[in-house]
Amino acid sequence: MTTVLTVEPAEHTGPQTDTRIPLDQLAALGAAELTAALYRALPGEESGQVPVAAFNSSI
Amino acid sequence: MLVPFAQFVLKVHSRCDLACDHCYVYEHADTSWRGRPRAIGEAVIDQAAHRIAEHALAHRLPAVHVVLHGGEPLLAGPARLRRVAEQLRARLPADCALDLRIHTNGVRLDEEFCELFRELGIKVGISLDGDRAANDRHRRFADGRSSHSRVLAAVELLRTPRYRALYAGLLCTIDIENDPVAVLDALLELDPPKIDFLLPHATWDAPPPRRGEEAPYADWLLTVHRRWQRLGSPVPVRTFDSIVRTLGGRSSLTESLGLDPADLVVIETDGTFEQADSLKTAYDGAPATGFDVFANSLDEVARHPGMMARQSGLAGLSEQCRACPVVRSCGGGLYAHRWRTGAGFDNPSVFCGDLMRLITTIRDRVAPVQPAAAGPGTGLTEGQLDQLARGYGDGATVRALAAGQLDLTRRLLAAVGPAAGPAWELLAELDTEAPAAVDAVLTHPYVRAWAVRCLGDGTGAADLAPLAEIAAAAALRAGRSTEVAVPVRGGAVHLPTLGRLLVGGGGTSRPKAGGGTAVLCGGAAAFTVRAPGGAEFRVAHDQPADERWLPVRRVELPGGWTVALEDLDPHRDSHQWPAEQRLTGAELADWTGSLREAWELAQRDLPQYAAGIAAGLNTITPLRPGPSGRDVSAAARQAFGAVGIARPATAPILALLLVHEFQHVKLGAVLDFHDLFDRADPRLFDAPWRADKRPLEGLFQGTYAHLAVTEFWATRVRAYDGLRGEAADHAREQLARWRGHTDRAIDTLLGCGALTPLGERFGHGMRASLDRPPAPRAGGAARPSGPAQPAPLPSPSGAPPSGLPA
Ligand code: SF4
């Protein structure tokens, strides 16, 4: 049991990513692009509405 | 699940004043127009409005979309069109918005009509095939005259300031003989708010003209796309936008692409309900439902097999489409274009080659090029995916999942963090100077949970204070001695992954409740916090817990597993059941003892699960005991690396809860980056372990977890080999029960038709593990863990409820 403060970075146990992109570079992509790429991971729209596509023969 | 209709195509006139030779109403297979009244009658108008309103009320629809269509709808005349609009508005529930449009060839559109539409709020879409030469190819009067100048005059009217708001856009049917650039330029010249290009209607029985080329429709559209891109995408083009949206996982904007369910019904001039209008192209009578507005409700129509078929997403597609790499964008194309006599609609689109080329080329054209935009992902090897498909995952596999999760959390943080100002700047600076320190904080499961809450807040007033806490914890881990402002909430400064310092004073732990700001400063041997009132607190790095300093407590277990008992983090309440308060010393000792025993059992009897737990489960959040002693545990999709558990009575049950919940954690991490099934499939399925039906994700999650439950009971049964008694009988019963449930659920998954190839791999992998569980480790337990005699396992259900929708 560890009951004292452990401030080390825990480098040895942390997951490693091959391509670690700095946070500020990620932020430059903008929230819309970042979240669009993560759509699988984010909760669906809460509206209860199933997305549907429009009638083809009108605009 | 019944998908209610929200789009209604109301045929107000069944004839046309043009004689376009590509028209699907008059020139294709269906001839039902011949027997229909020319114009819609008053009784049909009123009853149709009644049915739509009834449906909107029953399904609490926030909006309905009604398209006045034909034939040529202007032939219905102003009085009829007025009646339709007025009846709809009068009957719809007050909180249901009405989007009312008319789609016309424009020939008769004059000021009188425009005034009417302005008064009634009817938007106008126009069919126009491009420049004069292009338009004249098909869109002519019966006597061969061009309609072009009449249509242009109509568009000019819509472009005047008085009517501009009515102008909905231009719809262009493709003819590959037309010059694509000239067509686009002619349309853009008319300054439309929106454009779409339609493939000409065709089927496998009547394929489109191809000039001997492989994918001429794709090439035509791609030429348009290239020009449109070069011009800076001056107006939305529905087809292009739908492809980009579906490539990014969002919904399509048109029924001709994507997997979104159809929510559209057609009402003919005589009041009969029909399916998608485009089906007229397939065979005579194809769109018929046999229902009409007088005898049938829209719910009845929604249950029609033809309607359901177009709402079942991936499962409703042909085998070739289901295995297609672009199916999420293509969706097998427009339903009607799949028709082949003999095989029905169970085919790819007759435009398959075109759709494939169009989608893949647009994908490559719009793919981000900067390395910083490299997409998120798990980087799992095939071998690791195979392990996960079988329900397992060794240390390296789960570390790969964790790396994907860290990347995901970093991206979410980058989406919400910049608004936090100085705290974000500090974190970004630390991120390059001391990346391991930052990542050590960001692997905390509840960082993602918080970031997702911020994203979902939608009010623009998300609680960003936790970002300062994250930055402060990272600064401490990085050994920084700069001052960092941190919020005081509930009289405490919270440092995720480190602990909580009670500094007193106001504030509540509720988000956004102000408690002031403290100043934290790190150091080599200690850190200090200056509270808002000026009081200063010092915490030495080797300082044990006291009445002010509450460190996060970690249990170190054999085999390299260290896990925090998280009873401090304000965001730990992310599970289905309420979180327990700070554990007392005695409760902590109980937890530690139980964990040691459970872990010993898991390592020995379930090594194929234990290895992944050691690598990826860094947090257990104690939950409050369940109602009437029920075992309670949960995993949360937005908190990778954590499980919530109310400490059960026995260590074996704790082992069971750990492996069960960690299955959800692993599968959730796979689903974050991979499609195992059609996410839009609206169906509910029997889950053998529940009374209610479950959506596919819940069924998949439950099956994956119960595979581990089955293996747990198999090890118990092996342990009791040859022994009699209540506990042994209980274990045998549980094994039979969970094996049966899991087996049936795997059957349901494999038979549902909505699994992706990877999903099928998981289905078959789970089946293989269920049929051939790995042998216990050599020298491993032939005897149950714990005291000399197996502990009875008083779980009422044998498998715990979970916070995931299993
Ligand atoms: S490209 Fe062809 S195979 Fe793929 S989904 Fe579309 S129609 Fe089906």
Side-chain angles (χ1 to χ4, degrees):
Chain A
M1 170 68 60
T2 312
T3 53
V4 295
L5 177 63
T6 313
V7 293
E8 292 83 42
E11 199 154 7
H12 53 294
T13 53
Q16 306 297 315
T17 42
D18 299 340
T19 50
R20 188 179 187 283
I21 303 165
L23 284 174
D24 51 2
Q25 278 187 40
L26 285 175
L29 295 175
E33 183 169 336
L34 285 164
T35 52
L38 298 175
Y39 69 95
R40 289 187 185 87
L42 297 174
E45 285 147 41
E46 301 294 315
S47 63
Q49 291 287 106
V50 185
V52 288
F55 178 45
N56 196 44
S57 303
S58 78
I59 193 156
Chain B
M1 192 173 83
L2 187 142
V3 178
F5 295 113
Q7 299 185 71
F8 305 88
V9 176
L10 192 58
K11 298 286 184 171
V12 292
H13 204 280
S14 65
R15 302 294 194 274
C16 189
D17 44 1
L18 288 182
C20 314
D21 57 9
H22 60 357
C23 179
Y24 65 86
V25 176
Y26 309 107
E27 304 294 334
H28 287 226
D30 186 74
T31 55
S32 59
W33 61 275
R34 292 182 207 277
R36 294 241 154 79
R38 286 172 172 264
I40 190 169
E42 287 185 0
V44 175
I45 292 175
D46 297 359
Q47 186 63 13
H50 163 68
R51 289 298 186 194
I52 293 170
E54 175 185 68
H55 196 66
L57 187 66
H59 296 280
R60 299 215 186 103
L61 299 178
V64 294
H65 309 268
V66 180
V67 181
L68 308 178
H69 211 259
E72 169 46 45
L74 294 183
L75 288 174
R80 271 196 196 82
L81 297 177
R82 172 182 291 282
R83 187 173 185 102
V84 173
E86 289 177 347
Q87 283 290 320
L88 280 169
R89 284 197 206 282
R91 292 177 189 249
L92 278 171
D95 56 355
C96 178
L98 171 65
D99 171 36
L100 190 54
R101 286 163 195 259
I102 190 164
H103 194 82
T104 167
N105 61 31
V107 167
R108 284 169 191 265
L109 189 74
D110 57 12
E111 274 202 70
E112 191 193 336
F113 274 122
C114 285
E115 279 303 315
L116 180 77
F117 297 156
R118 190 163 178 266
E119 180 197 335
L120 299 172
I122 302 177
K123 292 196 161 195
V124 185
I126 304 256
S127 290
L128 179 69
D129 289 352
D131 56 317
R132 182 174 182 118
N135 200 62
D136 284 355
R137 196 180 295 280
H138 302 287
R139 310 192 67 81
R140 287 187 307 264
F141 289 96
D143 60 9
R145 268 180 305 132
S146 162
S147 64
H148 189 249
S149 56
R150 300 275 291 269
V151 182
L152 284 200
V155 176
E156 286 314 317
L157 203 51
L158 288 174
R159 290 176 67 192
T160 58
R162 184 164 175 80
Y163 305 125
R164 173 77 206 184
L166 305 179
Y167 190 8
L170 300 175
L171 201 55
C172 168
T173 300
I174 300 167
D175 186 314
I176 49 173
E177 296 302 329
N178 293 334
D179 173 0
V181 169
V183 167
L184 178 68
D185 288 353
L187 297 177
L188 290 178
E189 211 168 289
L190 301 178
D191 194 20
K194 206 184 335 173
I195 295 178
D196 199 14
F197 295 96
L198 302 182
L199 291 166
H201 284 319
T203 66
W204 289 100
D205 291 354
R210 296 200 171 277
R211 297 188 304 208
E213 293 165 37
E214 206 181 308
Y217 293 89
D219 296 340
W220 196 94
L221 275 168
L222 286 166
T223 307
V224 172
H225 181 258
R226 178 57 88 210
R227 171 129 186 111
W228 176 72
Q229 271 193 321
R230 292 217 170 107
L231 295 172
S233 313
V235 297
V237 175
R238 191 165 64 181
T239 296
F240 300 156
D241 291 340
S242 292
I243 291 172
V244 173
R245 283 173 64 92
T246 50
L247 286 170
R250 286 177 291 159
S251 58
S252 169
L253 303 173
T254 163
E255 58 168 335
S256 58
L257 290 164
L259 287 172
D260 305 302
D263 72 341
L264 173 121
V265 63
V266 180
I267 303 171
E268 285 290 348
T269 50
D270 59 358
T272 53
F273 287 118
E274 294 212 330
Q275 307 173 53
D277 218 22
S278 51
L279 286 176
K280 287 184 193 305
T281 209
Y283 58 94
D284 197 12
T289 63
F291 297 140
D292 70 70
V293 289
F294 297 103
N296 306 98
S297 71
L298 281 155
D299 275 11
E300 288 172 76
V301 186
R303 283 190 211 99
H304 183 278
M307 292 289 179
M308 307 279 277
R310 292 186 301 112
Q311 293 176 342
S312 44
L314 197 59
L317 299 186
S318 67
E319 203 181 326
Q320 188 183 333
C321 291
R322 286 206 305 274
C324 171
V326 301
V327 68
R328 305 205 65 80
S329 282
C330 175
L334 196 67
Y335 195 71
H337 297 175
R338 302 174 206 161
W339 174 258
R340 186 199 293 271
T341 302
F345 294 100
D346 192 17
N347 308 297
S349 168
V350 70
F351 291 101
C352 175
D354 294 282
L355 291 164
M356 175 75 88
R357 181 179 296 182
L358 178 68
I359 293 164
T360 51
T361 309
I362 289 184
R363 181 189 64 199
D364 297 344
R365 284 182 187 174
V366 302
V369 284
Q370 325 88 302
T378 54
L380 291 167
T381 65
E382 287 301 306
Q384 290 172 333
L385 275 171
D386 276 335
Q387 289 179 23
L388 291 163
R390 293 195 51 145
Y392 310 133
D394 61 14
T397 302
V398 174
R399 274 192 293 277
L401 289 178
Q405 291 293 312
L406 175 60
D407 184 52
L408 193 161
T409 300
R410 293 172 56 79
R411 285 167 190 269
L412 290 172
L413 211 63
V416 298
W424 169 257
E425 283 157 28
L426 171 64
L427 192 67
E429 191 183 309
L430 291 168
D431 191 50
T432 36
E433 285 174 17
V438 171
D439 287 351
V441 182
L442 300 191
T443 48
H444 180 49
Y446 300 113
V447 171
R448 170 175 169 184
W450 160 74
V452 169
R453 263 178 225 164
C454 287
L455 280 173
D457 179 272
T459 63
D463 175 28
L464 291 175
L467 192 82
E469 298 165 347
I470 292 166
L476 283 185
R477 284 183 180 275
R480 278 282 196 110
S481 53
T482 44
E483 292 195 336
V484 186
V486 281
V488 177
R489 299 198 282 181
V493 168
H494 184 74
L495 298 167
T497 71
L498 297 176
R500 172 181 291 206
L501 181 67
L502 304 181
V503 298
T508 76
S509 58
R510 276 183 291 120
K512 287 179 262 190
T517 302
V519 177
L520 176 142
C521 187
F527 71 89
T528 58
V529 171
R530 198 165 62 248
E536 198 158 298
F537 303 89
R538 181 176 184 278
V539 178
H541 289 177
D542 58 356
Q543 183 173 321
D546 59 24
E547 70 281 2
R548 288 209 172 271
W549 172 239
L550 313 177
V552 171
R553 294 173 293 196
R554 292 187 168 76
V555 185
E556 282 168 27
L557 294 150
W561 184 33
T562 299
V563 65
L565 283 165
E566 180 57 81
D567 52 6
L568 293 170
D569 192 302
H571 296 280
R572 73 188 186 286
D573 226 345
S574 292
H575 302 279
Q576 183 189 351
W577 309 93
E580 188 56 279
Q581 296 302 306
R582 177 73 167 173
L583 300 178
T584 64
E587 287 165 340
L588 185 65
D590 286 345
W591 261 108
T592 309
S594 286
L595 267 176
R596 283 192 193 290
E597 232 182 279
W599 182 237
E600 196 183 311
L601 181 152
Q603 277 193 300
R604 192 189 53 212
D605 293 353
L606 298 161
Q608 67 279 26
Y609 295 106
I613 289 178
L617 182 58
N618 61 27
T619 300
I620 295 173
T621 294
L623 302 178
R624 293 209 199 122
S628 55
R630 209 169 127 207
D631 286 321
V632 157
S633 66
R637 180 72 184 273
Q638 299 301 337
F640 175 86
V643 298
I645 294 178
R647 193 175 64 79
T650 69
I653 291 297
L654 180 56
L656 172 62
L657 301 184
L658 283 170
V659 293
H660 175 129
E661 296 306 339
F662 198 65
Q663 290 298 94
H664 291 311
V665 172
K666 285 188 294 191
L667 189 62
V670 172
L671 289 171
D672 281 344
F673 297 104
H674 300 275
D675 292 319
L676 299 188
F677 46 81
D678 175 11
R679 294 153 58 96
D681 193 311
R683 292 174 298 165
L684 298 176
F685 296 87
D686 282 326
W689 50 86
R690 287 181 64 129
D692 56 339
K693 289 177 178 262
R694 306 296 298 147
L696 257 180
E697 179 168 351
L699 183 67
F700 219 118
Q701 280 279 11
T703 312
Y704 202 68
H706 291 134
L707 180 68
V709 171
T710 305
E711 289 199 28
F712 169 85
W713 288 111
T715 67
R716 303 303 295 174
V717 167
R718 270 203 298 277
Y720 287 106
D721 187 22
L723 296 179
R724 297 232 59 83
E726 209 184 315
D729 290 344
H730 177 70
R732 288 180 194 112
E733 271 165 37
Q734 291 295 330
L735 173 60
R737 176 177 175 193
W738 292 106
R739 182 188 291 285
H741 283 354
T742 309
D743 193 44
R744 283 213 300 288
I746 294 173
D747 278 347
T748 307
L749 287 172
L750 285 172
C752 76
L755 299 193
T756 63
L758 183 60
E760 290 193 356
R761 211 160 129 195
F762 270 66
H764 292 301
M766 289 192 282
R767 162 66 30 81
S769 293
L770 192 70
D771 292 347
R772 290 185 306 280
R777 251 194 333 201
R783 283 277 170 267
S785 71
Q789 199 44 28
L793 300 167
S795 172
S797 63
S802 165
L804 276 170

